[in-house]
Each structure stands twice: as C-alpha cells, then as structure tokens.
Amino acid sequence: MMKDKTNSVEKYVKAKKRVDDIKGFYFHVIKFVIITLLILIFKGRVLEIFIEKGVEDKNVLQWMELNILAIPIIWGLVLLVMGLRLFVFKTNILKSWEKRQIQKYLGEEK
C-alpha cells in the first residue's frame, strides 16, 4: 500500500516536471518570436542612425547587420536543440544518474 502511494507520488512529480518543462519551452518560444520581430523591425532604423552619425564604412555596417541578425539565429538554434531534447530525444542518461544518486543518498541515511 505504501509503495503504491510512493509510486503514484513519484509519477505525479515526474509528470509535473515534464509539464513545467514544456510550459517553460513554450514561453521561451513566445519570447523568442516577440524579440526577433522587434529586432527585425528596428534593425533598419539602427543602421540608419549609424549612417546619420557618419558611419559610412560598408564593412562596419555589414558587420553590425550580421551581428544584429546573429542574435535570433543563435537563439533559434538553441531553441531547436531544446525542443529536440524535450520532444524527440527524451534522454534518460542524466535522469538515470540522478535516480542512482538519490537512491545512493537515501541508502546512506538508513
């Protein structure tokens, strides 16, 4: 009886963590979309400001544009890896190590 209760609590905790991870991922995607849109909207204006201030070197302007665009590209790649890990490659390597460590420390307390 006690083992069944412990097992259901463990399942609930795992399910809650999974739901929290998915929810966190979706919030991250929403922030990514909003900030990427803002970056793309204001990219032209930022470059115009530098041109107005006297920056005429095309290499500098291209470098700035590349750096402005690199933010959403790198962030998007990180999101892709996070999504793949969360939804496709549900790796249990870290989870199994974590479970072994918990069992080890629970065994030491007895």
Side-chain angles (χ1 to χ4, degrees), residues 16-26 85-86:
K16 174 88 170 99
K17 182 176 178 348
R18 177 95 173 127
V19 169
D20 288 344
D21 288 347
I22 292 170
K23 185 172 72 172
F25 176 76
Y26 287 141
R85 183 192 60 81
L86 189 61

Side-chain angles (χ1 to χ4, degrees), residues 19-35 75 79 82 86-87:
V19 169
D20 288 344
D21 288 347
I22 292 170
K23 185 172 72 172
F25 176 76
Y26 287 141
F27 282 130
H28 201 105
V29 169
I30 290 168
K31 288 186 274 187
F32 168 74
V33 169
I34 291 170
I35 292 174
W75 193 359
L79 268 177
M82 287 174 57
L86 189 61
F87 296 111

Side-chain angles (χ1 to χ4, degrees), residues 58-78:
K58 295 286 184 201
N59 291 327
V60 171
L61 294 173
Q62 287 175 344
W63 178 82
M64 288 177 57
E65 184 174 15
L66 178 64
N67 281 288
I68 291 171
L69 294 176
I71 294 168
I73 291 170
I74 293 169
W75 193 359
L77 290 172
V78 169

Side-chain angles (χ1 to χ4, degrees), residues 42-58:
F42 291 110
K43 175 184 71 97
R45 182 65 188 131
V46 169
L47 293 175
E48 286 176 15
I49 290 171
F50 278 92
I51 291 170
E52 289 172 6
K53 296 292 181 183
V55 176
E56 295 177 2
D57 187 353
K58 295 286 184 201

Side-chain angles (χ1 to χ4, degrees), residues 3 36 40 57 60 73 89 91 94-95 100 105-106:
K3 187 162 180 118
T36 298
L40 294 176
D57 187 353
V60 171
I73 291 170
F89 304 111
T91 59
L94 186 59
K95 291 177 185 177
R100 284 193 314 272
Y105 290 115
L106 285 175

